Amino acid sequence: MLRLSLGAKAALGAIVVAVLAFMYVPLLLVVLNSFNAARIASWPIRGFSLEWWGRAFTSEPIHAAVGNSIVVGLGATTVALVLGTLVAFALRRHSFFGTQTVSLLVVLPIALPGVVTGVALNNTYNQLLEPIGIHVGYFGMIVAHGTFCIVMVFNNVLARLRRLSPSVEEAAADLGATPWQTFRMVTFPQFRGAFVAGGVLAFALSFDEVVVTIFTAPPGVDTLPLWIMNQMARPNEASVVNVVATVMIVLSLVPVWISQRLARDAD
Amino acid sequence: MKRRLRLASLLALPMAWLIGIYILSLVMLLVTAFWVTDPFTSKVTPGFTLRNFEQLVVNPAYLSTALRTLGIALAVTALCILVSVPLGIFMAKIAPAWLRAVLAVAITLPLWAGYLVKILAMRITFTEDGFFNAVLSPLGISGPGFGIVTVVLTLTYLWLPYMSVPVYTAIRQLPSHLFDASADLGAGAWRTIRTVVLPLIRPAIIAGSVFTFSLSLGDYLAARFVGGSTQMIGSVIASNINLNPPIAAAFSIVPIVFVVVYLVSVQRTGALQRM
């Protein structure tokens, strides 16, 4: 065991408390400010009110933004599930020239800064496709999100497939199953957990993404993060944004809960 | 032959997507960096000029923005390491099992809280008449306000889990008898940390630093919302993409070069293979 003096242990403990305070006090302030009667966040809070919660739940722009985020998130997740699984299967047992290149290609859209990805796609949409009459519009956002979400499904599914033994599939084939039957009844059930987990991660990633969205959203279309960003850019940001942020903090517990459940199921 | 066909059919769609859309876009961006913007009509025309790249070095505003961003990214990385090592030691080697489990969840939870939510949270905390100033003013401490310091703190807040999780995992995996041996040989706790723990967790620190460094380099919304007038590479790219796309394109190469140089310089340590 690490033999530390009492003072050293106390010092380390103090650092831990400070780090946790640094992580959680700002989030707590957002939650408290969602009940702040004042229009601008300041401390101490002088009066509490539910006004902003009422406004948030009846706000048309927020409803539209949530709707867009869900549509884009589902679209991107679908793209990521299909493409990510295909690549994972390709890399599972085939070792071929270019394995490294393929995995690099999958990781690149998330490894490069969001602003580079966003600007690159924006440039293609506006300078290349627009002049030849292709308006990507709403679809441009889904394409962009799908591209950087592939890695989430890919990582999860590949990790799972690597642990599966090919003999089970061979046995199914020997017993007369068609390739599709083998996939549906033998292979898929074995990686379903990783498939779902990858999909949840991809959706969460898309739902939270803002930088790439700034450059690929068609004019007048807001996702929820875009709406939050535009509110923050206003000089007197209305407290409604704190309500939305509070809801997002609470909702963030959902993927954590799901991943904990999936991890337990996998054991 | 059948094997190749199967492989090709699996890869056709994903590769068409990634190369046809993403790589093509990156190449287009690179090509645009050599194009010409008419200064009077601000129309972009194909051509070949190195002037956009020349601007990055000659224009002092661009050069200082690039260096400032590099400094911020390195500061964020250093701060993340400085926080994660004691945190990891406490969690892995001092805390009882129940507390360790609680802390392990506690340090990863904010990862999910939402990127903009966290920037908003820091904005509320450090604003002029916000929490930080109100609570610490009796002690005569005033907050950093919106500027470089708050940008560094915000980025540290955003990316800390990317460092603290691998560092904690690495410290957990260190066998206890190493500490016993070190103590038996007469080393104090601090010396053990310096000469035994740190060298062994170096790969984890480097792996974490790849994330904290490259994520900080590309970020510009932290600078926009808590940075006052602080400009970062991303701010320059974003503000030029409509006015002067070639300059924006040329500037996009800068963070890519920084990340590649960083990756190459840490690659020799062999840490990347273990990511």
Side-chain angles (χ1 to χ4, degrees):
Chain A
M1 219 45 233
L2 190 58
R3 291 172 208 170
L4 287 173
S5 68
L6 216 59
K9 280 185 188 176
L12 282 174
I15 292 177
V16 173
V17 171
V19 171
L20 288 178
F22 174 64
M23 283 166 114
Y24 285 96
V25 167
L27 291 178
L28 191 67
L29 289 175
V30 171
V31 176
L32 285 176
N33 265 296
S34 73
F35 300 104
N36 191 344
R39 181 168 280 278
I40 305 168
S42 68
W43 194 263
I45 294 174
R46 291 197 175 79
F48 290 91
S49 149
L50 283 173
E51 186 194 348
W52 311 115
W53 281 82
R55 284 209 198 175
F57 280 97
T58 53
S59 157
E60 280 300 323
I62 296 180
H63 292 174
V66 171
N68 286 329
S69 278
I70 291 175
V71 170
V72 173
L74 289 178
T77 305
T78 311
V79 169
L81 284 173
V82 173
L83 300 184
T85 309
L86 284 171
V87 185
F89 266 85
L91 294 197
R92 172 179 53 160
R93 271 158 224 153
H94 299 274
S95 64
F96 55 94
F97 177 74
T99 318
Q100 293 291 323
T101 316
V102 172
S103 20
L104 180 72
L105 264 177
V106 174
V107 179
L108 202 61
I110 199 139
L112 290 184
V115 66
V116 173
T117 299
V119 162
L121 290 172
N122 174 291
N123 190 49
T124 303
Y125 294 168
N126 290 336
Q127 313 279 343
L128 198 71
L129 298 180
E130 202 68 29
I132 58 172
I134 300 174
H135 305 283
V136 287
Y138 203 95
F139 198 61
M141 267 190 298
I142 298 178
V143 169
H145 282 219
T147 304
F148 63 72
C149 285
I150 296 173
V151 66
M152 289 294 171
V153 178
F154 167 76
N155 275 342
N156 268 276
V157 173
L158 185 64
R160 196 69 221 265
L161 290 180
R162 286 224 168 102
R163 283 188 281 144
L164 296 184
S165 139
S167 56
V168 188
E169 286 171 26
E170 284 158 14
D174 286 346
L175 291 168
T178 65
W180 173 240
Q181 277 178 324
T182 308
F183 178 80
R184 194 167 53 89
M185 296 162 75
V186 178
T187 315
F188 184 70
Q190 294 188 83
F191 76 87
R192 189 167 39 206
F195 185 76
V196 173
V200 171
L201 286 172
F203 186 84
L205 187 67
S206 161
F207 205 84
D208 194 36
E209 157 60 37
V210 59
V211 174
V212 176
T213 322
I214 294 172
F215 299 102
T216 51
V221 174
D222 274 355
T223 60
L224 197 56
L226 278 187
W227 180 86
I228 294 178
M229 192 192 76
N230 291 332
Q231 292 297 307
M232 281 168 65
R234 294 185 176 176
N236 290 334
E237 58 199 51
S239 292
V240 179
V241 72
N242 293 316
V243 176
V244 174
T246 300
V247 173
M248 286 182 72
I249 291 171
V250 175
L251 283 182
S252 72
L253 299 174
V254 174
V256 177
W257 181 75
I258 292 178
S259 64
Q260 293 263 333
R261 280 292 297 270
L262 287 172
R264 207 178 308 150
D265 289 350
D267 288 338
Chain B
M1 204 56 222
K2 210 179 146 200
R3 227 179 131 74
R4 292 196 130 198
L5 206 68
R6 261 191 59 191
L7 181 63
S9 67
L10 285 173
L11 279 177
L13 199 58
M15 290 302 110
W17 184 289
L18 285 168
I19 296 171
I21 297 169
Y22 191 65
I23 299 299
L24 185 86
S25 294
L26 287 179
V27 172
M28 261 296 288
L29 190 67
L30 183 65
V31 170
T32 309
F34 295 99
W35 286 5
V36 190
T37 311
D38 189 303
F40 297 106
T41 63
S42 58
K43 251 184 91 86
V44 180
T45 42
F48 182 82
T49 176
L50 288 172
R51 197 174 311 142
N52 303 312
F53 289 101
E54 193 189 302
Q55 280 293 309
L56 303 186
V57 190
V58 176
N59 189 324
Y62 290 151
L63 187 65
S64 64
T65 299
L67 293 176
R68 182 184 314 116
T69 307
L70 185 65
I72 290 174
L74 289 173
V76 170
T77 303
L79 210 54
C80 284
I81 298 171
L82 227 55
V83 168
S84 297
V85 172
L87 189 69
I89 291 175
F90 183 88
M91 284 170 65
K93 299 294 169 193
I94 295 173
W98 68 269
L99 184 60
R100 175 188 305 155
V102 170
L103 288 173
V105 173
I107 61 166
T108 45
L109 258 187
L111 192 61
W112 297 94
Y115 166 84
L116 275 174
V117 170
K118 275 182 268 184
I119 292 183
L120 174 70
M122 291 303 267
R123 204 172 143 94
I124 292 177
T125 309
F126 286 103
T127 189
E128 193 60 42
D129 46 3
F131 179 81
F132 193 87
N133 283 342
V135 170
L136 293 182
S137 64
L139 304 173
I141 300 172
S142 76
F146 291 160
I148 289 192
V149 174
T150 313
V151 170
V152 170
L153 285 177
T154 303
L155 292 172
T156 304
Y157 184 35
L158 285 167
W159 317 134
L160 183 64
Y162 291 93
M163 180 68 79
S164 54
V165 171
V167 165
Y168 161 65
T169 312
I171 296 176
R172 265 210 85 171
Q173 285 166 353
L174 297 178
S176 289
H177 61 245
L178 276 182
F179 297 106
D180 296 332
S182 175
D184 290 345
L185 291 168
W190 297 120
R191 180 143 182 210
T192 304
I193 290 170
R194 216 179 60 238
T195 58
V196 178
V197 177
L198 281 182
L200 287 172
I201 62 169
R202 224 168 80 107
I205 291 178
I206 291 172
S209 75
V210 170
F211 289 102
T212 58
F213 180 75
S214 72
L215 287 168
S216 305
L217 266 187
D219 195 272
Y220 77 101
L221 291 183
R224 179 170 165 199
F225 288 114
V226 297
S229 59
T230 309
Q231 291 263 321
M232 289 180 73
I233 291 174
S235 333
V236 175
I237 299 173
S239 61
N240 275 303
I241 187 62
N242 291 320
L243 298 168
N244 193 343
I247 274 285
F251 225 77
S252 316
I253 315 297
V254 179
I256 299 178
V257 169
F258 280 157
V259 171
V260 169
V261 168
Y262 191 76
L263 284 176
V264 169
S265 62
V266 298
Q267 196 183 28
R268 288 181 299 120
T269 64
L272 301 180
Q273 274 74 42
R274 300 202 225 166
M275 277 174 81

